[in-house]
Amino acid sequence: MKIINLGNRHDASFYAACELFNQITRNPKSKLGLATGGTMVDVYANFVNLLKMNDVDVSNVETFNLDEYVGLSQTHPESYHHYMQKVLFEQYPYFTANNIHVPIGDAADLDDEAKRYEAMVRERGPVDIQILGIGENGHIGFNEPGTSKESETRVVDLTESTIRANSRYFDTEEEVPKQAVSMGLSTIMSAKRIILLAFGEKKKDAITKLASGIEDADVPATILYEHPNVEIYVDEAAAPDDMGRED
Ligand code: F6R
């Protein structure tokens, strides 16, 4: 697994968008694993442009989001449902509503919801391409440090580090939900192909640990070493100091 420095977020985002686009053009019934957060905003902007310019039929494409905050309704401005509507589904309104899957964060029974979501991903999957961001603490999805490799979709407690990092999207830190419904590491690993993106100085530490080659449950993204088809693209600021050059 090689970490590739693409220099800047624009080029890395464009690359990921092209890969999603190519996947759909190869197979109009593709299954896309989608992430939210700041890292993904330019990916979706580029993806939407490619879809519009090429008038692509996405009616049979199926999408599966990684996670949703507990307690936020689908219309809450910071919910991941709302995020996805804003950045993708409203921008290119030709996806089929029943083919869009995001965990329901305000379900009456969250454990049931997590089980339903896991069973649905396993039944309708596997995902062809899963795109991932990474937390400052090395999380993928909301699988925080210490998460078991066997984990499936479930309710998770967010760590202080994640709550602090995500408070930039809320008015106050108190408003950041303390839990999420998240695909597990084993759910994520069931995707056929994974593309992870990391941009900015704040991700450098997590990417440096990911570059170590040592699998460590305290850096959940290191489970990706076990996946046969992973690509990791970073910008200059997130790149480890030693990119493996022998100079
Ligand atoms: C989002 C997700 C998270 C984010 C990660 C980075 O659906 O699962 O793992 O990818 O927290 O978030 P940003 O991109 O906001 O830095």
Side-chain angles (χ1 to χ4, degrees):
M1 192 183 78
K2 194 155 170 43
I3 293 173
I4 297 175
N5 180 355
L6 282 184
N8 62 73
R9 70 179 290 152
H10 177 269
D11 291 351
S13 304
F14 185 65
Y15 171 81
C18 286
E19 290 305 285
L20 293 175
F21 173 81
N22 289 336
Q23 173 63 43
I24 295 182
T25 51
R26 273 195 304 270
N27 176 9
K29 293 186 175 172
S30 288
K31 295 158 199 297
L32 306 181
L34 303 181
T36 56
T39 309
M40 296 300 150
V41 171
D42 293 348
V43 175
Y44 294 123
N46 284 297
F47 185 40
V48 166
N49 278 341
L50 288 166
L51 294 174
K52 282 184 180 164
M53 287 188 295
N54 296 281
D55 205 7
V56 179
D57 176 9
V58 293
S59 60
N60 291 310
V61 171
E62 213 164 341
T63 67
F64 301 85
N65 266 79
L66 286 167
D67 40 29
E68 177 59 285
Y69 285 122
V70 161
L72 300 195
S73 71
Q74 300 187 17
T75 53
H76 188 287
E78 294 310 330
S79 75
Y80 289 160
H81 273 91
H82 189 257
Y83 171 105
M84 288 310 304
Q85 289 299 326
K86 238 177 22 192
V87 300
L88 178 57
F89 302 125
E90 280 173 9
Q91 304 301 323
Y92 196 71
Y94 307 107
F95 288 84
T96 303
N98 284 343
N99 289 347
I100 296 173
H101 310 290
V102 184
I104 297 168
D106 63 348
D109 186 328
L110 288 165
D111 292 332
D112 270 5
E113 167 58 11
K115 282 200 194 90
R116 178 198 68 81
Y117 200 77
E118 178 70 24
M120 192 266 311
V121 175
R122 299 285 179 177
E123 191 190 313
R124 303 180 81 107
V127 158
D128 293 298
I129 301 187
Q130 173 69 59
I131 48 171
L132 292 178
I134 186 168
E136 291 170 29
N137 62 4
H139 74 210
I140 50 176
F142 277 130
N143 294 289
E144 300 285 34
T147 300
S148 139
K149 282 188 205 180
E150 283 76 41
S151 52
E152 298 192 326
T153 308
R154 70 218 178 283
V155 177
V156 295
D157 294 330
L158 305 183
T159 60
E160 283 302 317
S161 147
T162 298
I163 293 170
R164 207 175 322 113
N166 290 6
S167 66
R168 67 191 193 278
Y169 302 116
F170 292 80
D171 290 339
T172 64
E173 199 167 308
E174 287 66 52
E175 285 174 54
V176 185
K178 308 293 179 282
Q179 291 185 308
V181 178
S182 175
M183 280 190 197
L185 291 176
S186 128
T187 332
I188 292 173
M189 291 290 279
S190 69
K192 291 191 204 164
R193 177 181 176 199
I194 295 178
I195 299 176
L196 183 146
L197 303 176
F199 307 137
E201 176 74 28
K202 287 188 172 163
K203 302 295 170 73
K204 182 173 177 165
D205 191 40
I207 294 298
T208 302
K209 288 178 182 156
L210 189 52
S212 73
I214 301 161
E215 196 172 321
D216 178 357
D218 284 335
V219 185
T222 59
I223 193 182
L224 298 177
Y225 299 149
E226 293 185 27
H227 196 286
N229 196 1
V230 178
E231 295 152 74
I232 299 180
Y233 297 100
V234 301
D235 66 358
E236 181 63 29
D241 289 329
D242 174 7
M243 286 290 292
R245 282 185 298 267
E246 293 181 17
D247 48 22

